[in-house]
Amino acid sequence: EHMGKDIPPKEIKLSPDCELRFEVENSNETVYLELKSGIAEIFGTELVKGKTYTFTTGAKIAVFTWQGCELIVRTKKDTSYIAKETPMMFYLNCHCCLEQLRQKAEDNDTKGPITVIVGPSDVGKSTLSKILLNYAVRMGDSSRRPIFVDLDVGQGHISIPGTIGAMIVERPASVYDGFPQIAPLVYHYGYPGVQQNPKLYDDIVTQMADLVHQRMESSKKVKSSGVIINTIGWVKARGYQHLTHVVQAFKVDIILVLDQERLFNELVRDMPSFVKVALLPKSGGVVERSQTTRAEARNCRVREYFYGTPSNQLHPHMFDVKFSDVKIYQISSPTQADFAPIGTKTDNYVVKLLPEQKMTKILHHILSVSHASSDEEKVNATNIAGFVCVTKVDVDRQLLTLLSPQPKPLPNTILIISDIQFVDNR
Ligand code: ADP
């Protein structure tokens, strides 16, 4: 590739503690970025000097420097700007406090800090998680192995939307593809919002919390490194109850509240005194996303699951399975739960097998491939091996056509329907 060498370069000098921000909005636009001298990072990931980084549609980027640096930017339509005011010093202070607690935990063979990041949507929660995790694995001689937990079912940073995930972070995130994944733990939820099946959400959060605490015991390093939890942006009413449930289930020590003073005060009032609550400013660079942008981002995540990213392309498989060869389960939300007498309000959900005559309902739906070893095992209570997408339902021949990251056969025949849909238009 020409790496934008035909576009005239623009040299940008960044002073210490400043960041260059840009967004790639149009689909035919590309921004090429190179670090010429000095040290710079993108959300905590250090840039390699002389390497050309390519950013395409949807990228919302800040190149920050503690020491000062020179950058070369090539783009047809330059919309980048330099920000002198950033909250990075606050975030670094947070990291230093966490580092002290991790050191103490390592010395005493206890658990490191369990931190949750909360706040309304579009305040940079995911970005702060990334920065803190990157700093933890990057800095100091005894680099840490923290566990990253993502409870944001709307985007799904570890897996795909409609799931929650956890993984041990061993290396910094790639500028494009996030953290390298080593055996992530993923639970099926099935909806892009918590309000769609609140009881199921709380249940899988509890399960995940128990497993995360177990995993912490697996190695001294992981144990003392602690946990960073990213959450949903719903902080009012029932959303607040979900947050306090997260705090209890994970036995959270530290709550970092981004941007919202009201939420901060509520948590200070309601949390037991051994839970530390801190208020942090949001970055002026965080880009607000509309419902459409969010839906597009979700679709993009699912596409990436099957087809990969420009820097890491994948080649999915397509194959048929007989209706009778799979068991497809449906976890109905409370509103669909037909067992409830009319007029009663219930939170509960039902797990049931999808009858063969209803197979056409799941066209274009994502199905989670369960790890459950038998039908007796509760399908909502086991983690997920991967996902397939139903691209065709042939009622006459009793066949489903599936898009799958792996060739036939499926690793397990127990599948769970997700409300998330994906239309494969390749
Ligand atoms: P939240 O998790 O609170 O919804 P995110 O962390 O996902 O918010 O941030 C929203 C978007 O803003 C992301 O696309 C992210 O890349 C972008 N972003 C975050 N911080 C900055 C910044 N300092 N400059 C430019 N873009 C940013």
Side-chain angles (χ1 to χ4, degrees), residues 277-295:
V277 190
L279 181 65
L280 290 171
K282 76 165 185 183
S283 167
V286 179
V287 184
E288 268 189 45
R289 290 163 295 184
S290 63
Q291 286 299 339
T292 338
T293 330
R294 262 172 230 281

Side-chain angles (χ1 to χ4, degrees), residues 56-72:
T56 53
T57 343
K60 300 170 178 58
I61 299 294
V63 188
F64 179 83
T65 179
W66 292 105
Q67 294 88 349
C69 72
E70 282 177 303
L71 302 168
I72 300 170

Side-chain angles (χ1 to χ4, degrees), residues 124-374:
K125 293 183 296 300
S126 318
T127 306
L128 178 59
S129 319
K130 200 188 260 179
I131 292 171
L132 292 176
L133 289 161
N134 270 330
Y135 284 0
V137 290
R138 207 183 95 187
M139 297 211 175
D141 334 309
S142 57
S143 56
R144 312 291 181 186
R145 298 280 177 275
I147 295 182
F148 173 35
V149 177
D150 187 26
L151 302 179
D152 183 1
V153 288
Q155 296 300 324
H157 297 276
I158 291 179
S159 188
I160 62 169
T163 64
I164 60 171
M167 64 189 269
I168 297 172
V169 177
E170 305 198 335
R171 277 179 291 141
S174 126
V175 162
Y176 312 110
D177 305 334
F179 292 100
Q181 299 214 350
I182 312 141
L185 184 66
V186 178
Y187 275 100
H188 171 96
Y189 172 66
Y191 304 89
V194 174
Q195 60 284 4
Q196 281 141 318
N197 207 337
K199 174 78 166 50
L200 176 64
Y201 185 78
D202 284 348
D203 281 359
I204 56 173
V205 165
T206 308
Q207 300 251 351
M208 176 71 85
D210 290 347
L211 270 176
V212 164
H213 276 275
Q214 275 175 38
R215 281 219 177 161
M216 285 182 95
E217 299 293 350
S218 68
S219 111
K220 246 192 111 171
K221 196 153 206 173
V222 173
K223 185 177 172 186
S224 61
S225 296
V227 182
I228 305 266
I229 306 165
N230 183 35
T231 58
I232 47 155
W234 187 26
V235 296
K236 283 185 192 158
R238 182 72 201 250
Y240 182 75
Q241 286 171 30
H242 286 294
L243 287 182
T244 54
H245 171 72
V246 169
V247 173
Q248 279 165 12
F250 278 89
K251 305 188 187 83
V252 164
D253 305 301
I254 297 167
I255 307 179
L256 301 176
V257 186
L258 274 173
D259 192 49
Q260 213 184 66
E261 224 164 309
R262 205 202 58 205
L263 178 62
F264 168 74
N265 284 314
E266 279 174 338
L267 287 164
V268 170
R269 182 193 68 204
D270 298 341
M271 292 299 111
S273 56
F274 55 82
V275 181
K276 292 190 197 71
V277 190
L279 181 65
L280 290 171
K282 76 165 185 183
S283 167
V286 179
V287 184
E288 268 189 45
R289 290 163 295 184
S290 63
Q291 286 299 339
T292 338
T293 330
R294 262 172 230 281
E296 276 166 13
R298 268 202 285 281
N299 199 49
C300 193
R301 262 319 271 168
V302 179
R303 180 174 304 282
E304 274 175 21
Y305 176 78
F306 292 108
Y307 289 98
T309 57
S311 64
N312 179 27
Q313 289 188 20
L314 303 173
H315 305 279
H317 301 261
M318 193 92 91
F319 54 79
D320 294 341
V321 294
K322 285 199 214 117
F323 286 0
S324 56
D325 284 347
V326 287
K327 286 204 171 78
I328 300 177
Y329 286 91
Q330 193 173 17
I331 306 178
S332 61
S333 65
T335 45
Q336 302 162 335
D338 46 17
F339 73 106
I342 294 165
T344 53
K345 268 186 93 174
T346 172
D347 247 5
N348 237 326
Y349 49 88
V350 211
V351 183
K352 54 184 179 188
L353 206 58
L354 184 75
E356 285 186 7
Q357 62 271 25
K358 285 201 175 162
M359 285 292 179
T360 48
K361 263 181 56 178
I362 59 171
L363 180 64
H364 301 313
H365 278 262
I366 295 293
L367 306 177
S368 298
V369 183
S370 173
H371 263 313
S373 52
S374 75

